[in-house]
Amino acid sequence: MTLLLNGFELAKQCRAELAEKIKSLSRAPKLAVILVGNDPASAVYVGNKEKAAKEVGIESVAYRFEEISQSELLALIARLNADNGVDGILVQLPLPRDLNEKEILQAIDPAKDVDGFHPLNLGKLLIGEPAPVACTPKGCMKLIHLAKQDLTGLRAVVIGRSVIVGKPMAQLLLKENCTVTMAHSKTENLPELCRTADILVAAIGKPKTVKADWIKNGAIVIDVGINRLENGKLCGDVDFDACFDKCAAITPVPKGVGPMTIAMLLENTVEALERKISL
Ligand code: GUN
């Protein structure tokens, strides 16, 4: 029997727990969300983040710009960094090409970096220091734990080497004693490599790339992809229907990783305020 890793339900549970915790805090956490440009998908993601934040009792302030210069955006981030009432700052990616994304992400106060994209926080993850962790990989780990608590000794393959998903994902699996291989677009014999995986995380960005014969019997499969097909339907990077029976556990798309990314953003925002209060 395959376990369906229902991110929609798990995220709901996480949000309910966060809402309870927020009630016990001395004030509501505050999240600043910055969106630049007119990418429709980013606009939907930011809208969903704001809505979810409000529902659990996080105050959310959105800054939307059709266009903004690098220096104006840096000035806004400096202002939000200095504002003691702001606990978390999120800049939705990708930024328009005329902006220097690395410089923008580095300008965010690491203590307010609820996305975990600041080099200091990525470095802390690497050396095993506590730090905000990127939301998608953090959510993936919670989904994996629905299937299995102790991951020690398992072989994990992560397809995708982005800073947002692949790299932090590999670190989190390594921290839990998996033997981790990172695969990417230049990896040779990808299907063969995937067949060695007890845990397979697909963050490829191409619909239904992972086929049934890539899957080891009894694997845990986490599908980070969100692709829109010509018929308007969403699908993941894994050929879900074909792979389902071979997996011990698999995430669907939609209602898998996506809702968990947002729930982990809320968790990171609450944790940012909690760290501040405990100082
Ligand atoms: N773009 C795609 N995923 C993310 C994310 O998790 N955070 C931000 N800020 N931008 C993204």
Side-chain angles (χ1 to χ4, degrees), residues 66-92:
E66 280 251 332
E67 278 179 40
I68 188 169
S69 70
Q70 182 80 6
S71 58
E72 284 169 328
L73 185 48
L74 288 171
L76 171 61
I77 291 171
R79 196 149 51 77
L80 296 169
N81 283 343
D83 184 341
N84 202 33
V86 173
D87 306 298
I89 303 170
L90 176 151
V91 177
Q92 186 65 26

Short mmCIF file of all heavy atoms in Angstrom, two decimals, residues 66-92:
data_model
loop_
_atom_site.label_atom_id
_atom_site.label_comp_id
_atom_site.label_asym_id
_atom_site.label_seq_id
_atom_site.Cartn_x
_atom_site.Cartn_y
_atom_site.Cartn_z
N GLU A 66 5.77 47.47 -9.90
CA GLU A 66 5.94 47.06 -11.32
C GLU A 66 7.42 47.12 -11.65
O GLU A 66 7.98 46.24 -12.28
CB GLU A 66 5.18 48.04 -12.22
CG GLU A 66 3.71 47.78 -12.29
CD GLU A 66 3.28 47.22 -13.63
OE1 GLU A 66 3.94 47.51 -14.64
OE2 GLU A 66 2.27 46.50 -13.64
N GLU A 67 8.03 48.23 -11.20
CA GLU A 67 9.47 48.45 -11.41
C GLU A 67 10.03 49.13 -10.18
O GLU A 67 9.35 49.94 -9.56
CB GLU A 67 9.69 49.40 -12.59
CG GLU A 67 9.62 48.75 -13.93
CD GLU A 67 9.84 49.77 -15.04
OE1 GLU A 67 10.71 50.64 -14.85
OE2 GLU A 67 9.11 49.69 -16.03
N ILE A 68 11.27 48.81 -9.88
CA ILE A 68 11.97 49.52 -8.80
C ILE A 68 13.48 49.39 -9.09
O ILE A 68 13.92 48.37 -9.63
CB ILE A 68 11.60 48.94 -7.40
CG1 ILE A 68 12.17 49.80 -6.26
CG2 ILE A 68 12.02 47.50 -7.25
CD1 ILE A 68 11.64 49.45 -4.87
N SER A 69 14.24 50.42 -8.73
CA SER A 69 15.68 50.34 -9.00
C SER A 69 16.35 49.55 -7.87
O SER A 69 15.80 49.39 -6.78
CB SER A 69 16.28 51.74 -9.08
OG SER A 69 16.27 52.32 -7.79
N GLN A 70 17.56 49.08 -8.15
CA GLN A 70 18.34 48.34 -7.15
C GLN A 70 18.48 49.18 -5.87
O GLN A 70 18.27 48.68 -4.77
CB GLN A 70 19.72 48.01 -7.76
CG GLN A 70 20.63 47.21 -6.88
CD GLN A 70 20.33 45.71 -6.90
OE1 GLN A 70 19.49 45.24 -7.65
NE2 GLN A 70 21.00 44.97 -6.05
N SER A 71 18.83 50.47 -6.05
CA SER A 71 19.10 51.28 -4.85
C SER A 71 17.81 51.55 -4.06
O SER A 71 17.83 51.57 -2.83
CB SER A 71 19.79 52.59 -5.22
OG SER A 71 19.00 53.30 -6.13
N GLU A 72 16.70 51.71 -4.76
CA GLU A 72 15.43 51.92 -4.04
C GLU A 72 15.04 50.66 -3.27
O GLU A 72 14.56 50.74 -2.13
CB GLU A 72 14.31 52.27 -5.03
CG GLU A 72 14.38 53.70 -5.54
CD GLU A 72 13.43 53.94 -6.72
OE1 GLU A 72 13.20 53.01 -7.52
OE2 GLU A 72 12.93 55.07 -6.84
N LEU A 73 15.26 49.51 -3.90
CA LEU A 73 14.90 48.26 -3.22
C LEU A 73 15.82 48.03 -2.01
O LEU A 73 15.36 47.63 -0.93
CB LEU A 73 14.98 47.09 -4.21
CG LEU A 73 14.52 45.72 -3.71
CD1 LEU A 73 13.18 45.78 -3.01
CD2 LEU A 73 14.46 44.72 -4.87
N LEU A 74 17.11 48.35 -2.18
CA LEU A 74 18.04 48.21 -1.05
C LEU A 74 17.64 49.16 0.09
O LEU A 74 17.73 48.79 1.27
CB LEU A 74 19.48 48.50 -1.50
CG LEU A 74 20.13 47.43 -2.38
CD1 LEU A 74 21.46 47.93 -2.94
CD2 LEU A 74 20.33 46.14 -1.60
N ALA A 75 17.16 50.35 -0.28
CA ALA A 75 16.75 51.32 0.74
C ALA A 75 15.51 50.81 1.49
O ALA A 75 15.42 50.96 2.72
CB ALA A 75 16.46 52.68 0.09
N LEU A 76 14.58 50.19 0.76
CA LEU A 76 13.39 49.63 1.42
C LEU A 76 13.81 48.52 2.39
O LEU A 76 13.33 48.47 3.54
CB LEU A 76 12.41 49.07 0.36
CG LEU A 76 11.24 48.26 0.92
CD1 LEU A 76 10.36 49.10 1.85
CD2 LEU A 76 10.38 47.67 -0.21
N ILE A 77 14.70 47.64 1.95
CA ILE A 77 15.15 46.54 2.82
C ILE A 77 15.86 47.11 4.05
O ILE A 77 15.63 46.63 5.18
CB ILE A 77 16.04 45.55 2.03
CG1 ILE A 77 15.17 44.81 1.01
CG2 ILE A 77 16.73 44.56 2.97
CD1 ILE A 77 15.93 43.97 0.02
N ALA A 78 16.65 48.14 3.87
CA ALA A 78 17.35 48.76 5.01
C ALA A 78 16.33 49.30 6.02
O ALA A 78 16.50 49.17 7.24
CB ALA A 78 18.27 49.87 4.52
N ARG A 79 15.26 49.89 5.50
CA ARG A 79 14.21 50.43 6.37
C ARG A 79 13.52 49.29 7.13
O ARG A 79 13.27 49.40 8.34
CB ARG A 79 13.21 51.20 5.48
CG ARG A 79 12.29 52.14 6.20
CD ARG A 79 11.89 53.34 5.32
NE ARG A 79 11.39 53.00 4.01
CZ ARG A 79 10.16 52.54 3.75
NH1 ARG A 79 9.29 52.36 4.73
NH2 ARG A 79 9.77 52.28 2.52
N LEU A 80 13.22 48.20 6.44
CA LEU A 80 12.55 47.07 7.09
C LEU A 80 13.48 46.38 8.09
O LEU A 80 13.04 45.94 9.16
CB LEU A 80 12.06 46.06 6.04
CG LEU A 80 10.99 46.59 5.08
CD1 LEU A 80 10.77 45.61 3.92
CD2 LEU A 80 9.66 46.84 5.81
N ASN A 81 14.77 46.33 7.76
CA ASN A 81 15.75 45.77 8.71
C ASN A 81 15.77 46.57 10.00
O ASN A 81 15.86 46.01 11.09
CB ASN A 81 17.17 45.81 8.11
CG ASN A 81 17.41 44.73 7.07
OD1 ASN A 81 16.66 43.76 6.98
ND2 ASN A 81 18.46 44.92 6.26
N ALA A 82 15.68 47.89 9.87
CA ALA A 82 15.80 48.77 11.04
C ALA A 82 14.50 48.83 11.85
O ALA A 82 14.51 49.27 13.00
CB ALA A 82 16.18 50.17 10.57
N ASP A 83 13.40 48.40 11.25
CA ASP A 83 12.09 48.49 11.91
C ASP A 83 11.93 47.33 12.89
O ASP A 83 11.74 46.17 12.48
CB ASP A 83 10.99 48.47 10.84
CG ASP A 83 9.61 48.67 11.43
OD1 ASP A 83 9.44 48.47 12.66
OD2 ASP A 83 8.69 49.00 10.67
N ASN A 84 11.94 47.62 14.17
CA ASN A 84 11.88 46.57 15.19
C ASN A 84 10.55 45.82 15.20
O ASN A 84 10.44 44.71 15.70
CB ASN A 84 12.17 47.19 16.56
CG ASN A 84 12.65 46.14 17.54
OD1 ASN A 84 13.33 45.19 17.14
ND2 ASN A 84 12.27 46.29 18.80
N GLY A 85 9.54 46.44 14.59
CA GLY A 85 8.22 45.80 14.53
C GLY A 85 8.11 44.77 13.42
O GLY A 85 7.14 44.02 13.35
N VAL A 86 9.10 44.72 12.52
CA VAL A 86 9.08 43.75 11.41
C VAL A 86 9.95 42.56 11.78
O VAL A 86 11.13 42.72 12.10
CB VAL A 86 9.61 44.39 10.09
CG1 VAL A 86 9.77 43.35 8.99
CG2 VAL A 86 8.67 45.51 9.64
N ASP A 87 9.35 41.35 11.74
CA ASP A 87 10.10 40.16 12.16
C ASP A 87 10.67 39.37 10.99
O ASP A 87 11.72 38.75 11.11
CB ASP A 87 9.18 39.24 12.98
CG ASP A 87 8.55 40.00 14.12
OD1 ASP A 87 9.31 40.48 14.98
OD2 ASP A 87 7.31 40.18 14.13
N GLY A 88 9.95 39.39 9.87
CA GLY A 88 10.39 38.62 8.72
C GLY A 88 10.32 39.44 7.45
O GLY A 88 9.42 40.26 7.29
N ILE A 89 11.31 39.23 6.56
CA ILE A 89 11.32 39.93 5.26
C ILE A 89 11.48 38.87 4.18
O ILE A 89 12.39 38.03 4.23
CB ILE A 89 12.49 40.94 5.16
CG1 ILE A 89 12.43 41.95 6.30
CG2 ILE A 89 12.49 41.64 3.80
CD1 ILE A 89 13.67 42.83 6.42
N LEU A 90 10.59 38.94 3.19
CA LEU A 90 10.64 37.97 2.08
C LEU A 90 10.64 38.74 0.76
O LEU A 90 9.80 39.61 0.56
CB LEU A 90 9.41 37.08 2.17
CG LEU A 90 9.17 36.05 1.07
CD1 LEU A 90 8.40 34.88 1.63
CD2 LEU A 90 8.42 36.62 -0.11
N VAL A 91 11.61 38.46 -0.09
CA VAL A 91 11.62 39.03 -1.44
C VAL A 91 11.28 37.88 -2.39
O VAL A 91 12.04 36.90 -2.48
CB VAL A 91 13.00 39.62 -1.79
CG1 VAL A 91 13.00 40.15 -3.22
CG2 VAL A 91 13.38 40.73 -0.81
N GLN A 92 10.14 37.97 -3.06
CA GLN A 92 9.73 36.88 -3.94
C GLN A 92 10.67 36.78 -5.13
O GLN A 92 10.99 37.78 -5.78
CB GLN A 92 8.27 37.11 -4.40
CG GLN A 92 7.68 35.96 -5.20
CD GLN A 92 7.52 34.66 -4.41
OE1 GLN A 92 7.38 34.68 -3.19
NE2 GLN A 92 7.56 33.54 -5.09
#
